[in-house]
Amino acid sequence: MTSSADLYCVMGNPVAHSRSPAIHARFAELTGQAIAYERRLVPMDGFVQGVRDFIAEGGRGCNITVPFKIEAPQLATHCSERVRLAGAANVLTFGADGGIHADNTDGLGLVADITRNAGVSLAGRDVLLVGAGGAAAGALGPLLQAGVRHITVANRTLDKAQALVQSHSALATLQKSELIALTPQALEANFDVIINATASSLSGADVPVPAHVLRPGSLACDMMYGPAAQGFLDWARRHGATPRDGLGMLVEQAAEAFLLWRGVRPPSALVLQEMQQAA
Ligand code: ATR
């Protein structure tokens, strides 16, 4: 890497597993952008210092991953509307004036993967969003903005789903979308698109919604990829749905971050194809 390359990183704990360095390196190669992109492991109580150190070293921006996405907006001098809605950020951009701009591209990445890569339009569709943690919060605003007809947020802890629905109710009204919260047990309808944003698969738990939420041909997405997504994808396939893992979302959220930082949209579909072929 040349010394003129602009410095970026992904910051988290753990961070060794992150595929962001490989994705951004390939974006840079394909677009001719001179960037260096590193992994930064920061201590659980050391996020703020980690960001300050990185800025002092000349860092231009960073991706934030688990568990710092909720803490990240507190550091920012400016938060996008998406960050305000989600209550979490996955991208920081450091301005020459010392400003820190926070954004959230996770939900944009999910919507881009569903509509562009999977070729499924979200306009007028009925969507089930399973989970009400940070991952679900990042997705809800962009899903509403994609023009869905209806979203049910289903979570085993109902009050968390209700809080998410409440914080997005003005946007839902603006978009003329129906938005409700339910427990998984109360689900009766079926949906065009089902998105698993829970961490249930990490603990080896069963898929947290009944199979009757699927229609033949429903798109069933898990935000995870690799072995963690397998149980959900197998379940979806067994019940006649089209399974999709979170690799496309990962690549597309990175593409949105790259666009924010560099002003250039990378060929994300090509990079996703390369990663799928290499898997
Ligand atoms: P993240 O930031 O990745 O979304 P989180 O904020 O801890 O992580 O949220 C995890 C989500 O997965 C929550 O919706 C959680 O449900 P609760 O709100 O009821 O805790 C959900 N989840 C985790 N393990 C689960 C399981 N075994 N079954 C169903 N839902 C589960």
Side-chain angles (χ1 to χ4, degrees), residues 144-163:
L144 288 167
Q145 277 161 337
V148 297
R149 191 189 76 82
H150 170 100
I151 301 183
T152 294
V153 180
N155 197 47
R156 67 178 176 184
T157 311
L158 181 60
D159 56 5
K160 282 171 69 180
Q162 286 169 330

Side-chain angles (χ1 to χ4, degrees), residues 1 8 19-38 254 258 261 266 271 274:
M1 204 60 61
Y8 298 88
R19 300 179 80 169
S20 293
I23 294 170
H24 281 280
R26 187 69 180 126
F27 285 168
E29 193 174 25
L30 289 166
T31 57
Q33 293 285 307
I35 73 162
Y37 190 106
E38 302 174 349
F258 193 90
W261 290 333
V271 174
E274 291 173 355

Side-chain angles (χ1 to χ4, degrees), residues 66 70 130-136 154-158 160 197-201 203 205-206 208 224:
V66 177
I70 308 254
V130 189
N155 197 47
R156 67 178 176 184
T157 311
L158 181 60
K160 282 171 69 180
T198 72
S200 62
S201 54
S203 57
D206 285 343
M224 309 243 173

